[in-house]
Amino acid sequence: MSKLVALVALLAVISAPFAGAHHSYADYERDERYVFSGTLTDVQWGNPHILLFISDGARTMRVEWITTAGADRTGVIREQLAPGSRIRVTGSRHRNHDVAIMTLVKELELPAQDWRWAPPSTRSGP
């Protein structure tokens, strides 16, 4: 049993730097509200995050959105995010503007569906 406890402790120590690195937003402009609009070209509904690919014709932005569990909790369904839809996303972009990645999504809109998503902590109402 002591070997099992030692192994678990060792694995925890080895994996800790990787777990923290995944959730670091140091490379993103967290205080900026960057807006990107275009056509949804692809959706990858997987873990750890749902990835949205949005093209404005000049570039394609990869948006690291919420987890699939977060989508379920906030009422998002796959059918809402159909490729070809016009979409507008507000979030934090990479500090290197040549890197077309956004995260920390503050708002997502599908104007044709009159649909808007915001993180639960920013929603108004009861």
Side-chain angles (χ1 to χ4, degrees), residues 7-126:
L7 178 62
V8 170
L10 178 64
L11 289 174
V13 169
I14 291 171
S15 64
F18 300 106
H22 171 75
H23 291 283
S24 173
Y25 297 111
D27 290 338
Y28 296 89
E29 296 177 341
R30 292 176 287 175
D31 297 327
E32 178 189 42
R33 290 185 60 86
Y34 181 71
V35 178
F36 191 80
S37 297
T39 302
L40 187 60
T41 59
D42 189 23
V43 178
Q44 294 179 6
W45 196 277
N47 285 316
H49 300 282
I50 298 170
L51 300 178
L52 307 174
F53 294 85
I54 303 166
S55 176
D56 69 356
R59 71 188 311 193
T60 297
M61 183 70 67
R62 183 180 87 192
V63 177
E64 296 176 355
W65 192 25
I66 57 176
T67 63
T68 54
D72 291 342
R73 282 192 305 272
T74 57
V76 176
I77 57 174
R78 292 179 190 228
E79 292 76 21
Q80 288 172 304
L81 301 167
S85 300
R86 294 291 300 166
I87 191 168
R88 178 177 178 224
V89 63
T90 303
S92 298
R93 67 178 162 174
H94 199 277
R95 289 186 188 280
N96 176 349
H97 296 179
D98 292 332
V99 177
I101 302 175
M102 288 178 69
T103 191
L104 297 170
V105 175
K106 297 165 182 73
E107 187 173 85
L108 191 101
E109 296 176 82
L110 296 168
Q113 297 179 25
D114 194 30
W115 182 80
R116 179 182 166 274
W117 177 90
S121 62
T122 62
R123 292 181 184 167
S124 59

